[in-house]
Structure formats: structure tokens, C-alpha cells
Amino acid sequence: MKKVVVLLVCAVVLLVGYVVLYKSGIESIFGANKAYEQGEAFYNNKEYDKVAELFKKACNGGEVHACYSLGVMYEKGNGVEKDLGKAVELFKKACDGGEVRGCYNLGIMYDNGNGVEKDLGKAVELYKKACDGGEMFGCGTLGAMYANGNGVEKNEQKAVQLYKKVCDGGNMFGCYNLGVMYTKGNGVEKDFSKAVELFKKACDGGEMLGCTILGIMYADGSGVEKDFSKAAELYKKACDGGEMRGCTNLGSMYANGNGVEKDFSKAAELLKKACDGGEMLGCRGLDIIYRLMAK
């Protein structure tokens, strides 16, 4: 009887211990999630000084999204001292935990040699892991690696497949890149009409570079009927959206009176905007316009 009592006591102790551990684990998980949510709210308000400790607590508690976000903070030096090595460590922890954005960012670190020794093969491996997990930026960057033969054997057909996956997944830069492949006939048969369709999709989806290139297609009459007015309209959309080549091209339209009424002052305004935005062709065009206006 005494032996039975002892066994029952041991069983009760084990059960209580299990309950305590289980409760502790649950509280840890919920605590990590709560810390992450609080940190996200502060991060979105750019109150970085309040974020780092919350993300650290969440990351240590198993919230891999927090590990990724904290890695971004260390990468950029937001709210913490910039530390690329620490960023690499956190991106790896996030990636190993199934946060594919961590895999993608870690791939970038290996791609550029930031915080780690440059390793294009490792970058490709990480981009693939991110892509397989549904991270479209990973697929797009992997496509570029195949298109250029960086870290892998050059394979333009594979690049096209990846760009199509990205485009179909709603990432408009994938549509733009796929359009470029069709204009050059890289990995696919050259098809300007198909390129126009893809650049239009990219432009309509907010990828301003797609608007600029579509404008060029209309200005040249490639894959569409030549239409300077349509080209000017697209360049304006691109320029208003911050794509400086669009500003340069629209400035040139005003300088030459193509699709718009000739207006050197407007041309100068647009070319200056492009130049100030780092577009060197805009700077050159601006110099020419100033010379013409001085005559």
C-alpha cells in the first residue's frame, strides 16, 4: 500500500510539473507574439527606440517574424547600432524557422558580401529556398541570377519561368523583367507585342519602369502603332511616380515638340527634375536646353 501511495505521489508530481511546463510554454508563445505585435506597432510609427527590446524578446521566445524584423533593424541601423554580422545571424535564425523573408534577405547578404564572405552559390541556394516558400522577390532575384549566370550556369529559359511565376504572383517587377526578355528574345522567341502586353501590366500595377519602357515602345512604334501622345502620357505617369528616366524622356518630348507642344521651359523643368534625381541623361539634356534657351 505504501508503495502505491509513493507511486501516486510521483505521478502527481510529474503531472504538476508537466502542467507547469506546458503553461510556461504557452505563456512564452503568447508573450512572444504579443511582444512582436507591440513592436510592429512602434516600428510602423518609426518609434525605433521602443522596438528593439520588444523584437528581441519576441525573437528569443520563438517568434521568427520578430527575428527577421530585428535583423532589418540591425542591417539599417534603425533604433540600434548598425551591425551587419548581427543582421546575418538574425536572418539565419528567421530563415531556419521558416520565415522566407529571412532567407531572401540572407541571400542578399551573401550576394553582396555584407556581414559575411561573398558567396553567390549560397545566395542562389537561399533565393531558391525563399522562392519555394512563396517569396516572390526571391523568385525574381533567382531569375536574374539565371539570366546573368551569377552563381549558377546561365539559363535564360529558367529565368523566363521564374519571371513568369513572379508576374503571375502579382509582383509587377517580374512582369517588367519578362517583358524585357521578350524584347530581346532571351529565353523566348522575340515578341514585341507580348512585351507591350507585359509592360502595360507592369505599368498598370504600379511599376513605373514599365510605364517608361512602354512609352518608348509607343514612341518607336515597336509592337504597337507609333503614338507620340501616348508615349508622352506614359512618360508623365512614370515621372510623376518617381521614375527619373520617364522625366528625361518627357523633357525630350517637350524639347522637340513630339506628342506635346514644344516648350523649352517645361523641358528644362523636367530635365532638372531628372538630373536632381540622379539621372545623368537628364543632366546632359538640361545643359543642352540651357544653351538653346540662351541663344
Side-chain angles (χ1 to χ4, degrees):
M1 180 68 180
K2 187 175 181 181
K3 186 176 180 181
V4 173
V5 170
V6 170
L7 288 172
L8 285 171
V9 169
C10 290
V12 169
V13 169
L14 287 172
L15 181 60
V16 169
Y18 174 77
V19 170
V20 169
L21 287 172
Y22 178 77
K23 183 180 178 184
S24 175
I26 291 294
E27 287 176 348
S28 175
I29 292 169
F30 279 99
N33 184 260
K34 185 175 180 181
Y36 174 63
E37 290 178 352
Q38 289 174 338
E40 278 282 278
F42 284 127
Y43 190 87
N44 292 334
N45 288 330
K46 298 185 178 180
E47 297 179 67
Y48 300 126
D49 57 317
K50 302 176 182 177
V51 176
E53 283 305 312
L54 287 165
F55 280 167
K56 184 177 179 182
K57 178 181 177 182
C59 178
N60 290 338
E63 180 55 75
V64 292
H65 303 304
C67 302
Y68 162 76
S69 297
L70 187 58
V72 172
M73 291 182 71
Y74 274 103
E75 181 187 12
K76 297 181 178 179
N78 290 339
V80 291
E81 187 174 347
K82 187 172 183 176
D83 187 334
L84 295 180
K86 186 68 175 175
V88 166
E89 177 188 325
L90 286 159
F91 289 147
K92 184 179 187 307
K93 186 172 183 178
C95 180
D96 290 346
E99 169 52 88
V100 291
R101 291 179 299 173
C103 304
Y104 173 66
N105 279 30
L106 186 57
I108 292 174
M109 303 297 269
Y110 275 101
D111 201 342
N112 297 315
N114 292 334
V116 287
E117 187 175 346
K118 185 167 184 169
D119 187 335
L120 294 180
K122 183 67 175 176
V124 166
E125 177 189 324
L126 287 159
Y127 291 147
K128 185 177 186 307
K129 185 172 181 179
C131 179
D132 290 345
E135 174 52 68
M136 291 297 104
F137 285 112
C139 300
T141 307
L142 184 60
M145 301 293 271
Y146 275 105
N148 298 305
N150 291 334
V152 288
E153 186 176 346
K154 187 171 183 176
N155 187 333
E156 292 176 336
Q157 288 77 20
K158 183 68 175 176
V160 165
Q161 290 172 12
L162 286 161
Y163 289 151
K164 185 176 187 307
K165 180 178 180 178
V166 175
C167 181
D168 291 346
N171 185 307
M172 294 301 105
F173 197 62
C175 303
Y176 165 77
N177 280 342
L178 188 56
V180 171
M181 300 297 271
Y182 273 101
T183 63
K184 296 181 177 180
N186 292 341
V188 288
E189 188 175 345
K190 186 180 285 190
D191 187 335
F192 284 144
S193 295
K194 183 65 177 177
V196 164
E197 176 190 325
L198 287 160
F199 290 141
K200 184 178 187 305
K201 182 175 180 179
C203 179
D204 290 345
E207 177 50 64
M208 294 300 102
L209 191 52
C211 302
T212 295
I213 304 303
L214 184 58
I216 292 172
M217 303 289 278
Y218 273 100
D220 293 341
S222 299
V224 288
E225 187 175 345
K226 184 179 283 193
D227 187 336
F228 283 134
S229 295
K230 183 66 176 178
E233 176 189 323
L234 287 160
Y235 292 151
K236 184 179 187 307
K237 181 176 180 177
C239 181
D240 290 346
E243 211 292 291
M244 294 300 106
R245 275 172 285 187
C247 303
T248 297
N249 288 4
L250 184 58
S252 296
M253 302 289 273
Y254 274 101
N256 296 301
N258 291 333
V260 290
E261 189 174 345
K262 184 180 284 192
D263 186 334
F264 281 170
S265 295
K266 185 65 177 177
E269 176 189 327
L270 287 159
L271 292 167
K272 185 177 186 306
K273 180 177 179 178
C275 181
D276 290 345
E279 176 59 48
M280 292 301 102
L281 286 176
C283 301
R284 293 174 193 168
L286 183 61
D287 179 62
I288 293 169
I289 285 295
Y290 280 150
R291 291 173 187 271
L292 291 171
M293 292 174 71
K295 289 183 178 180

